[in-house]
Amino acid sequence: MGREAVAVCHWQGDIAEAKVHLDSRFLQLRGEMRLDLPRAAISDVDLGDEGVLVRTQSGDLMMEFGAVEAARWQKALLKQPPSLAEKLGVSAQTPAFVQGDFQDTTLSAALAGATAADPDKAALLIAVLLREGDLPRASDLALAHPEKHIWMVHQKGKAAVIGDTAIRTHMRGLGFIDSKTSAVSDQLTTTRYRLRTKA
């Protein structure tokens, strides 16, 4: 997901060609030059003769594009990325029922004022899978409310007690389809599922 291109990049005296990737959290350079710039660290984005000048507290990054591509990148870099609450689709008007305990400040902030104590009164479901046994409990919740989407939140990488592959295999075996993924925080990620409708 996100925007990608190859550009000649200038950063802190170095010049190199790099693959540039922009997502909701980072501007990343890979290849001959490696760099991870949090979007929150970007103070301004200017169009220059050679391309886009990204201004940060750590220095200015020049990415050489053609004029048309440079304008597109400037617009993308200046656009405010959606919040986690917006990605999940939760708000005071569309509250989520949350199953499972967690200690994640990013997720807590996204859910502040946007939860329902009763799954019947929730617009969608969120299951936090951090322990063995959480997955069948989550799928039971989803099966009990087949008209609602459920976000399956789990740990990233090797630290995950229940990983993405296990969740997908389990849910697809029950007739669910996955339709969207999102990073939650440095530790957590999530995928959205819904019961497949019968033709």
Side-chain angles (χ1 to χ4, degrees), residues 90-98 102 107-108 110-118 121-124 126:
V90 298
S91 68
Q93 292 71 41
T94 56
F97 174 78
V98 182
F102 63 91
L107 183 57
S108 294
L111 295 175
T115 60
D118 185 341
K121 296 180 180 178
L124 62 144
I126 296 175

Side-chain angles (χ1 to χ4, degrees), residues 6 50 53 57 93-94 100 103 128 135 156 158 164 195 197:
V6 175
E50 293 92 12
L53 183 65
Q57 291 182 342
Q93 292 71 41
T94 56
Q103 293 181 342
V128 183
L135 181 53
K156 293 180 178 179
K158 294 180 180 179
D164 183 61
L195 195 63
T197 55

Side-chain angles (χ1 to χ4, degrees), residues 34-147:
R34 294 182 64 85
L35 182 65
D36 293 296
L37 281 178
R39 290 190 68 159
I42 297 173
S43 58
D44 203 1
V45 184
D46 298 325
L47 284 177
D49 293 336
E50 293 92 12
V52 178
L53 183 65
V54 181
R55 299 190 182 278
T56 77
Q57 291 182 342
S58 302
D60 295 343
L61 170 67
M62 168 60 75
M63 302 185 294
E64 294 183 11
F65 298 112
V68 174
E69 189 68 9
R72 289 174 180 159
W73 273 85
Q74 182 193 37
K75 182 178 179 181
L77 284 159
L78 289 174
K79 183 179 180 181
Q80 187 68 25
S83 68
L84 178 58
E86 290 169 333
K87 290 180 184 178
L88 297 177
V90 298
S91 68
Q93 292 71 41
T94 56
F97 174 78
V98 182
Q99 182 185 82
D101 299 323
F102 63 91
Q103 293 181 342
D104 186 274
T105 55
T106 305
L107 183 57
S108 294
L111 295 175
T115 60
D118 185 341
D120 291 326
K121 296 180 180 178
L124 62 144
L125 311 169
I126 296 175
V128 183
L129 314 177
L130 301 180
R131 292 178 292 275
E132 296 288 349
D134 285 348
L135 181 53
R137 286 181 61 239
S139 60
D140 286 347
L141 174 67
L143 287 167
H145 302 277
E147 77 287 358

